[in-house]
Amino acid sequence: MMRLHKVYHRLTLLSLSPSSPPPPPPLTSSLSLFTSVRTPGHLRTHHSKRFKSICTMTSRFPNLVPLNSIAAENVGGRSNDSVSSASTEDEALAGKYQLPPPEIKNIVDAPPLPALSFSPQRDKILFLKRRSLPPLAELARPEEKLAGMRIDGKCNTRSRMSFYTGIGIHQLMPDGILGPEREIHGYPDGAKINFVTWSLDGRHLAFSIRFDEEDNSSSKLRVWVANVETGQARPLFQSPNVYLNAVFDTFVWVDNSTLLVCAIPSSRGDLPKKPLVPSGPKIQSNEQKNVIQVRTFQDLLKDEYDEDLFDYYATSQLVLASLDGTTKEIGNPAVYTSMDPSPDQKYLLVSSIHRPYSFTVPCGRFPKKVEVWTTDGKFVREVCDLPLAEDIPIAISSVRKGMRNINWRADKPSTLYWAETQDGGDAKVEVSPRDIIYTQPAEPLEGEQPEILHKLDLRYGGISWCDDSLALVYESWYKTRRTRTWVISPCSKDVSPRILFDRSSEDVYSDPGSPMLRRTPAGTYVIAKIKKENDEGTYILLNGSGATSEGNIPFLDLFDINAGSKERIWESEKEKYYETVVSLMSDYEEGDLLLDRLKLLTSKESKTENTQYSIKKWPEKKVCQITNFPHPYPQLASLQKEMIKYQRNDGVQLTATLYLPPGYDPSKDGPLPCLFWSYPGEFKSKDAAGQVRGSPNEFAGIGPTSALLWLARRFAILSGPTIPIIGEGDKEANDRYVEQLVASAEAAVEEVIRRGVAHPNKIAVGGHSYGAFMTANLLAHAPHLFCCGIARSGAYNRTLTPFGFQNEDRTLWEATGTYVEMSPFMSANKIKKPILLIHGEEDNNSGTLTMQSDRFFNALKGHGALCRLVILPFESHGYAARESILHVLWETDRWLQKHCVSNSSDASAELDACKDEVSKGVTDSDNQAVVASGGGGPELADFEHEGFYSLPRSLL
């Protein structure tokens, strides 16, 4: 078997048929931002929008991750010499980029593994070569911030777009062995490759390439195609002046020999010039007294010049381009956001946005037009023209008015379906039904009205199509966490819809799994029907994570859709390994799939063995491993991992993953310094909050900024200790946020001390984003637990996010007390332990403006707190550049060594002081808890346990 050189901790699988549609997620946002439609650089499949309509969530498999940012080696003339190791403390604090210790740096600098993609026929695998972390010079390139997006104007794409460096093809032999690699060739050296796409018949690839230019900018993108058998690549367009516009959609295979391309219009003139003197003031008005509440969106349009600039970059000309070199422009230039061929290749579903634009919301809410064209560009009809949507309520589960989620039926040649809200999009309006699903042919007969397919009382969450007799419809409601799955017969009106599953989305133990999907010859994905020998039943495969009180044990059930009975035909081995079913590999065959001929792609890993992939064949369930990746960080190959359980003082069961360094023995080595790294979550019930999520046998993946890197520095790592914030019934979870946050942290700290693995005086706390918010709150309200904190890219003053944050959908004026009490900015005077704040200077995440860290640091400094603020130039919410990431690790390690490893304070003495203060009946304003009153105003609440939160018994 060919051995693949493993160079990164996770395998990225792209362009597989989705194993199953996820259960409908809680509708956590009413927004439809184009910024989240597709991560730049992703490999795409034909009819990818149908894929996305089914798979709207991150992969259900924790060992598979989307390709968010492809790492880069030093390019553009910048070498490692730009990063220096600190020789003295003064030099280290002088503002230059620093390197972390070698034991951390060596793990981060390991080059990444190629992304993989299977052909439509499942007989070939692409190996898409990637680079390691990109240099800061790439992030420093100019970008335009327009309508909620960031655009690289030089190459007319989203900025900071990752890329592949090469494409290799391997034949997957019948026995599962990979054939020798055949490189795609013919394009110039140094090309940056994006948007790799298989044709329907698997005979060709399409992709874009661009180059670095002398001024450290990137060239515009050109579309190339390659013959899979020969590996020869060539430009799609004979003219060298046809460039791809990759701001929104890029290109799609219309048939096996024709691509529809979003091109930069040849008639586009010069870049709009910004007036030196404005023609007047910038004015926004609400003289109609409309109620418009929006989150703190960033990078919005600011004036007429921005509108012109947005049009300049986002406007495309659609071009049909054949492999034989013929081209044809179709339609007029417009801001096209998506184009989706019908399964029968006769029609196009074309979406575009148009003026009037908005200075208040991102482009995902701009006026939107959806039309049907023939594939040769003739206009058929307008499906809808939705107005500007500035007024979507902030209540979770609120949506845009009018038609939404317009797609082609995956099981029909050219039939559209969509949902329409009946509550005006407002989740606070009580109405039945709440959503109606409609369906209609691409070209309806004159007078033919849309047909009602199904009515829903919760919010529509998607459809998994199978055939005329079977489809599954999903609905959910965030406030109650209720989720339901309906069985419908799309073309049999005499068959009544029925509920298949009705459960809480929080109750992972009751999750029955999701139906596995198969790829059709048209490139769409439908529910796979399974046929048993001598059995006329209707069976599907349910692929589940198998959550249990002992951790996840993934399974595959053969489910009788009519009888409701199921047979477990596969389950992960649970003693040592964690296995998952990734995808069907026998779905290219026509007709129902025979159970005895089932073929699956599976993954397998353990605590110490990284993920490997195999083909599993029925009926013998024979396994043929197709990868053999070496350990990505052998220096930590023998790390110790345990999923631990403990209890909060209110009886809620909590879990965490405890990691210990290789060779560590608590009985011989004593307690270690410990890093507590977490992220709170909201729940509606104590039972659901206490359920175990994840598996003790999963491989420990270590990313570039992971807390697990400090295993190499002999730390104990308490990773992901559950911090449930519970609001049962009509109660709002955040009204008791601080109380539950502290109680959860106390329980975790008590447990690691009880086990003898963590030194009571040397426990640090850290987190990113909402985890940074958690960190600051714990240092303010539980100073007895932690010696120091690391807070990355957080929001600390909730009055700066007055129209909701995270899953809080009440406004500041509706829940003033809650906003104030939850804000660590308001408790800056209480923070006495060292805190390190890190933030990207160009953070574009809603709510976490860089200003949050600036102002929090000033508040801390104004009260004499020991604090440090690090602002990373050009970085956004997550950090990307090698210089930035290595410096963040250096800062974090320095902080931990100085304020955790070397901490000599006595935790017991601190706790005694706390108890003494409590016994004196402290009543000053610094120790008064603020809670929300029914009228929205703050009121003083009594302290729990006479003035202080309960303390860990082991520390008293």
Side-chain angles (χ1 to χ4, degrees):
M1 177 186 295
M2 171 187 158
R3 296 180 64 86
L4 306 178
H5 184 59
K6 172 75 172 185
V7 289
Y8 191 54
H9 75 282
R10 294 185 187 247
L11 174 69
T12 301
L13 285 182
L14 303 171
S15 192
L16 280 173
S17 63
S19 62
S20 56
L27 299 177
T28 56
S29 174
S30 60
L31 312 179
S32 175
L33 302 184
F34 288 120
T35 52
S36 64
V37 166
R38 180 181 66 246
T39 301
H42 262 198
L43 179 143
R44 298 170 51 219
T45 59
H46 183 67
H47 296 302
S48 61
K49 283 175 255 344
R50 281 192 286 279
F51 181 96
K52 286 182 283 185
S53 71
I54 297 169
C55 297
T56 55
M57 298 172 65
T58 302
S59 169
R60 59 186 287 112
F61 305 111
N63 61 306
L64 302 180
V65 293
L67 182 60
N68 291 328
S69 177
I70 300 177
E73 55 203 354
N74 286 307
V75 295
R78 193 178 185 92
S79 71
N80 286 344
D81 294 337
S82 62
V83 184
S84 60
S85 295
S87 57
T88 66
E89 184 73 1
D90 289 341
E91 180 186 350
L93 301 179
K96 295 183 179 180
Y97 286 104
Q98 307 295 331
L99 293 174
E103 54 264 45
I104 289 178
K105 174 180 175 293
N106 292 342
I107 296 174
V108 175
D109 272 344
L113 182 73
L116 302 188
S117 168
F118 286 77
S119 67
Q121 288 71 33
R122 306 294 187 256
D123 60 344
K124 297 179 181 66
I125 306 177
L126 293 185
F127 280 64
L128 299 153
K129 317 295 176 61
R130 303 189 288 178
R131 56 176 190 171
S132 40
L133 297 172
L136 188 63
E138 287 196 7
L139 273 65
R141 291 172 177 168
E143 59 184 2
E144 301 290 348
K145 300 175 181 178
L146 301 168
M149 298 186 301
R150 294 183 176 182
I151 297 173
D152 183 332
K154 187 67 182 292
C155 55
N156 223 101
T157 67
R158 301 293 178 93
S159 61
R160 311 179 184 209
M161 191 168 69
S162 53
F163 59 88
Y164 305 113
T165 58
I167 305 173
I169 305 175
H170 293 270
Q171 189 79 26
L172 182 60
M173 303 300 183
D175 57 2
I177 295 176
L178 295 182
E181 183 173 88
R182 181 170 58 256
E183 285 276 353
I184 297 294
H185 58 277
Y187 52 81
D189 293 339
K192 298 179 177 181
I193 302 169
N194 290 97
F195 310 119
V196 184
T197 310
W198 290 95
S199 63
L200 278 173
D201 59 8
R203 296 176 59 189
H204 291 89
L205 298 174
F207 52 92
S208 70
I209 66 168
R210 57 194 162 107
F211 307 92
D212 279 331
E213 298 187 337
E214 292 182 359
D215 60 354
N216 194 40
S217 65
S218 183
S219 67
K220 291 184 174 63
L221 280 69
R222 297 190 65 196
V223 183
W224 281 58
V225 291
N227 184 297
V228 171
E229 289 303 319
T230 65
Q232 180 66 47
R234 61 177 177 82
L236 174 65
F237 294 98
Q238 295 178 358
S239 168
N241 299 318
V242 180
Y243 297 107
L244 183 67
N245 187 336
V247 171
F248 287 113
D249 212 344
T250 52
F251 52 81
V252 63
W253 288 94
V254 175
D255 55 40
N256 290 325
S257 61
T258 308
L259 286 146
L260 178 61
V261 180
C262 282
I264 296 175
S266 57
S267 59
R268 187 171 78 172
D270 295 332
L271 188 71
K273 293 184 179 180
K274 189 169 186 176
L276 295 176
V277 178
S279 59
K282 299 178 181 179
I283 297 173
Q284 296 187 57
S285 175
N286 190 35
E287 296 181 36
Q288 295 78 25
K289 299 183 179 180
N290 296 321
V291 176
I292 298 175
Q293 301 178 350
V294 295
R295 296 283 178 112
T296 47
F297 298 124
Q298 300 191 55
D299 301 338
L300 301 177
L301 299 177
K302 299 179 293 296
D303 50 33
E304 291 181 2
Y305 170 72
D306 275 359
E307 291 181 309
D308 293 341
L309 207 57
F310 176 74
D311 277 338
Y312 178 83
Y313 287 120
T315 298
S316 296
Q317 172 65 62
L318 298 186
V319 181
L320 284 170
S322 177
L323 296 181
D324 65 10
T326 59
T327 63
K328 176 186 177 183
E329 293 186 353
I330 62 172
N332 296 317
V335 183
Y336 295 108
T337 57
S338 68
M339 63 265 192
D340 193 11
S342 61
D344 63 3
Q345 305 173 2
K346 293 182 178 179
Y347 299 96
L348 297 171
L349 186 65
V350 179
S351 298
S352 61
I353 57 178
H354 60 83
R355 299 194 184 214
Y357 298 149
S358 171
F359 301 155
T360 304
V361 294
C363 57
R365 296 193 183 187
F366 287 178
K368 177 182 178 180
K369 183 181 293 186
V370 181
E371 298 174 333
V372 174
W373 301 357
T374 60
T375 47
D376 61 357
K378 294 178 182 178
F379 175 82
V380 175
R381 69 183 178 104
E382 181 181 285
V383 178
C384 67
D385 190 354
L386 303 175
L388 179 65
E390 290 184 328
D391 59 347
I392 300 176
I394 62 172
I396 298 174
S397 297
S398 294
V399 295
R400 188 174 193 157
K401 299 175 186 176
M403 300 171 66
R404 69 183 196 280
N405 301 111
I406 307 169
N407 290 291
W408 297 111
R409 271 186 61 168
D411 62 327
K412 286 290 187 181
S414 53
T415 299
L416 294 171
Y417 71 99
W418 65 89
E420 289 190 39
T421 179
Q422 306 300 299
D423 56 12
D426 190 347
K428 292 184 178 180
V429 173
E430 295 296 331
V431 65
S432 178
R434 190 173 290 278
D435 272 340
I436 297 179
I437 306 167
Y438 294 93
T439 183
Q440 190 176 41
E443 284 194 81
L445 300 175
E446 185 175 352
E448 183 180 0
Q449 295 301 309
E451 179 182 338
I452 294 178
L453 182 68
H454 192 48
K455 297 180 179 180
L456 300 169
D457 284 335
L458 308 181
R459 187 62 79 204
Y460 168 71
I463 299 179
S464 294
W465 299 97
C466 183
D467 53 29
D468 285 344
S469 65
L470 175 63
L472 299 182
V473 180
Y474 308 105
E475 62 174 339
S476 63
W477 197 248
Y478 177 76
K479 276 294 184 183
T480 60
R481 307 301 199 273
R482 189 179 186 185
T483 179
R484 295 196 297 197
T485 302
W486 291 82
V487 178
I488 66 170
S489 183
C491 293
S492 301
K493 295 183 179 180
D494 55 337
V495 179
S496 298
R498 59 185 175 88
I499 293 177
L500 185 63
F501 305 122
D502 188 351
R503 47 183 291 274
S504 169
S505 60
E506 289 184 336
D507 182 11
V508 293
Y509 292 171
S510 71
D511 187 351
S514 302
M516 296 200 72
L517 306 179
R518 62 177 296 176
R519 191 179 190 275
T520 70
T524 63
Y525 291 92
V526 298
I527 297 173
K529 276 189 176 180
I530 306 299
K531 189 179 182 69
K532 291 177 69 176
E533 189 173 356
N534 301 320
D535 191 328
E536 297 302 321
T538 301
Y539 295 95
I540 64 173
L541 294 172
L542 292 180
N543 185 12
S545 59
T548 73
S549 59
E550 302 305 316
N552 289 358
I553 306 172
F555 64 83
L556 190 65
D557 282 347
L558 186 66
F559 184 73
D560 188 323
I561 198 76
N562 295 319
S565 58
K566 58 186 176 181
E567 172 191 351
R568 187 141 299 177
I569 62 173
W570 174 86
E571 187 174 74
S572 171
E573 194 249 305
K574 57 187 176 183
E575 296 304 321
K576 180 181 178 181
Y577 289 101
Y578 177 75
E579 302 171 275
T580 65
V581 173
V582 180
S583 174
L584 278 170
M585 294 294 285
S586 53
D587 58 347
Y588 55 84
E589 299 178 356
E590 294 286 349
D592 292 351
L593 303 182
L594 298 177
L595 180 61
D596 287 346
R597 295 181 62 184
L598 197 62
K599 187 162 65 172
L600 303 170
L601 177 68
T602 62
S603 69
K604 185 176 184 179
E605 62 196 273
S606 73
K607 297 176 184 179
T608 57
E609 300 172 43
N610 52 308
T611 305
Q612 306 293 349
Y613 292 84
S614 301
I615 302 294
K616 188 185 293 286
K617 298 180 181 180
W618 265 251
E620 299 88 358
K621 299 182 183 176
K622 179 183 176 181
V623 175
C624 182
Q625 186 173 317
I626 62 173
T627 61
N628 189 19
F629 306 131
H631 200 289
Y633 20 88
Q635 61 270 54
L636 294 178
S638 57
L639 62 79
Q640 304 171 57
K641 175 186 177 183
E642 181 182 359
M643 183 176 285
I644 63 175
K645 301 178 184 178
Y646 47 97
Q647 199 173 75
R648 204 163 73 177
N649 58 14
D650 59 359
V652 175
Q653 182 77 29
L654 304 177
T655 59
T657 304
L658 177 63
Y659 292 92
L660 299 171
Y664 169 72
D665 184 343
S667 62
K668 296 179 181 179
D669 302 329
L672 297 171
C674 177
L675 178 55
F676 173 115
W677 199 272
S678 192
Y679 193 97
E682 294 84 9
F683 292 88
K684 288 303 293 181
S685 74
K686 290 183 178 180
D687 288 343
Q691 292 182 352
V692 177
R693 291 161 172 83
S695 168
N697 295 325
E698 288 179 88
F699 181 69
I702 302 179
T705 57
S706 170
L708 299 186
L709 289 165
W710 274 270
L711 288 168
R713 299 284 279 166
R714 305 295 293 176
F715 268 72
I717 309 297
L718 194 64
S719 177
T722 50
I723 301 183
I725 310 300
I726 305 167
E728 294 189 300
D730 294 331
K731 296 180 180 178
E732 295 286 349
N734 284 338
D735 288 347
R736 294 178 59 233
Y737 172 85
V738 171
E739 173 191 343
Q740 296 187 69
L741 176 70
V742 173
S744 298
E746 284 175 339
V749 167
E750 177 183 356
E751 180 63 18
V752 291
I753 292 175
R754 183 191 68 79
R755 288 170 171 262
V757 299
H759 195 293
N761 303 341
K762 299 181 180 182
I763 302 177
V765 60
H768 183 91
S769 196
Y770 207 51
F773 176 73
M774 168 207 76
T775 297
N777 266 308
L778 285 172
L779 292 185
H781 301 291
H784 53 290
L785 296 178
F786 303 105
C787 60
C788 65
I790 299 114
R792 300 177 185 167
S793 299
Y796 309 103
N797 183 353
R798 287 302 168 196
T799 68
L800 297 178
T801 55
F803 291 109
F805 57 90
Q806 204 68 6
N807 291 321
E808 177 60 67
D809 59 7
R810 296 172 295 175
T811 70
L812 168 65
W813 299 272
E814 293 170 324
T816 306
T818 297
Y819 272 67
V820 172
E821 183 189 10
M822 287 182 70
S823 297
F825 179 86
M826 302 300 181
S827 299
N829 58 325
K830 298 181 184 180
I831 296 179
K832 308 301 180 185
K833 295 296 179 67
I835 182 170
L836 171 64
L837 303 175
I838 302 175
H839 216 121
E841 191 171 29
E842 302 294 331
D843 194 326
N844 65 346
N845 184 55
S846 176
T848 55
L849 290 78
T850 308
M851 173 182 65
Q852 289 272 6
S853 287
D854 284 330
R855 293 188 177 180
F856 188 41
F857 175 73
N858 287 333
L860 292 166
K861 190 169 62 171
H863 289 89
L866 198 169
C867 53
R868 178 172 170 86
L869 172 63
V870 179
I871 300 296
L872 302 171
F874 306 113
E875 293 289 353
S876 188
H877 191 58
Y879 318 139
R882 181 176 184 271
E883 294 93 328
S884 303
I885 287 174
L886 293 179
H887 187 83
V888 165
L889 299 177
W890 177 85
E891 291 279 1
T892 304
D893 188 70
R894 171 185 175 272
W895 205 253
L896 291 174
Q897 297 298 323
K898 188 171 184 177
H899 301 295
C900 182
V901 175
S902 302
N903 182 45
S904 59
S905 62
D906 189 340
S908 299
E910 289 189 35
L911 294 175
D912 289 339
C914 290
K915 291 189 289 182
D916 289 342
E917 201 154 318
V918 169
S919 64
K920 294 176 184 178
V922 178
T923 58
D924 62 73
S925 60
D926 280 356
N927 291 306
Q928 291 178 339
V930 181
V931 299
S933 66
E939 62 182 21
L940 299 182
D942 293 332
F943 291 113
E944 180 175 292
H945 302 301
E946 297 183 82
F948 221 84
Y949 295 107
S950 58
L951 307 177
R953 293 186 296 278
S954 62
L955 298 184
L956 296 177

